[in-house]
Amino acid sequence: MTEGLRERIRAGDREAFAELYEEHARSVYNHAFRLTGDWSVAEEVMGDTFLDAWRGRKQLEPGDATLKPWLLGVATNKARNANRGLGRRLAFLARRPAPAPVADFAEETAGRIDDARQLAAVREVYGRLRRGEQEVLALCVWSGLDYAQAAEAMGIPVGTVRSRLSRARARLRKLAEQRLAEEGKEPPRRRGEVQGEAAFAALPFQEFQEDPR
């Protein structure tokens, strides 16, 4: 963060707030989409997040720490309010076909197909997680917040973030493996493949990184 940016925002400096927007708008947008599963709702959540951030700028504590946890916390609350029917909106992800494998060298093709199957399974079962589990995965895994920053964003103790993230990873992995087994398409594990609870949770949601505009 640019030195003094927080103080400038607290003082109502619009140029400073524009810097904040440029730095974090994509992160807020992607986070909102992960929690809502709808591009247009994510757009609204992002707009409402920065509007509330501007209105509440005087409540910021002094310091030079990043404002990303604060913004994602606001976005999380906005997503909850905007998307009470979260399961319905996330259901469209399950209906979307898995990304087509990209043409590549023969030895890499099998790995890409396996990754696509895992990604499709994770995408389909993500909406079956509890709301708090979805939020902690979105914050810690895909938005890259550490435990303390996620705790700040969610308004919960750091210990709760740790335990909730561990449960969310384990449950997501279990549900995804069950889904793959149901389809009879569980890919063989390759030498050197990461094992454990984080294996599925670490998969990125590739479509979340697309710019729809």
Side-chain angles (χ1 to χ4, degrees):
M1 172 178 286
T2 304
E3 185 176 357
L5 183 61
R6 183 184 288 246
E7 288 301 320
R8 291 166 58 200
I9 291 173
R10 292 181 68 210
D13 187 328
R14 293 181 179 274
E15 290 186 3
F17 195 78
E19 291 180 31
L20 181 73
Y21 180 89
E22 289 298 321
E23 183 176 359
H24 296 299
R26 178 173 293 275
S27 294
V28 171
Y29 183 87
N30 284 341
H31 180 66
F33 177 73
R34 290 167 189 142
L35 296 181
T36 63
D38 187 294
W39 296 118
S40 62
V41 174
E43 188 87 31
E44 293 176 4
V45 167
M46 183 183 71
D48 288 345
T49 294
F50 281 97
L51 180 60
D52 272 20
W54 175 254
R55 289 172 174 171
R57 63 189 182 278
K58 293 183 179 180
Q59 299 175 12
L60 285 173
E61 296 293 332
D64 293 323
T66 176
L67 291 172
K68 185 177 180 179
W70 174 56
L71 290 172
L72 294 186
V74 175
T76 298
N77 289 328
K78 290 294 180 182
R80 289 175 187 169
N81 294 335
N83 190 15
R84 296 300 182 185
L86 184 60
R88 293 196 307 273
R89 288 194 168 97
L90 284 175
F92 91 97
L93 292 175
R95 297 194 295 270
R96 294 186 64 183
V102 178
D104 210 331
F105 297 106
E107 61 269 21
E108 296 181 4
T109 301
R112 289 180 178 272
I113 292 174
D114 287 350
D115 289 345
R117 288 173 177 169
Q118 290 180 342
L119 177 60
V122 170
R123 187 170 55 230
E124 182 168 347
V125 302
Y126 178 73
R128 291 162 59 184
L129 297 178
R130 298 180 182 89
R131 185 182 68 188
E133 293 172 338
Q134 295 175 11
E135 292 172 354
V136 76
L137 280 172
L139 289 168
C140 292
V141 177
W142 294 300
S143 292
L145 300 192
D146 59 28
Y147 293 132
Q149 291 173 332
E152 176 187 344
M154 300 180 73
I156 59 178
V158 172
T160 302
V161 171
R162 289 177 182 271
S163 59
R164 187 176 295 179
L165 180 60
S166 178
R167 289 195 304 269
R169 280 173 162 164
R171 190 156 181 257
L172 182 61
R173 180 175 183 274
K174 180 180 179 180
L175 289 172
E177 287 182 331
Q178 288 175 345
R179 183 61 185 140
L180 288 169
E182 289 171 2
E183 294 179 351
K185 295 181 179 179
E186 185 168 7
R189 288 174 177 169
R190 303 182 300 278
R191 185 175 63 183
E193 183 177 357
V194 176
Q195 305 296 326
E197 285 134 2
F200 284 102
L203 287 171
F205 276 41
Q206 294 174 349
E207 68 273 24
F208 292 164
Q209 303 308 318
E210 296 174 358
D211 188 345
R213 290 163 292 178

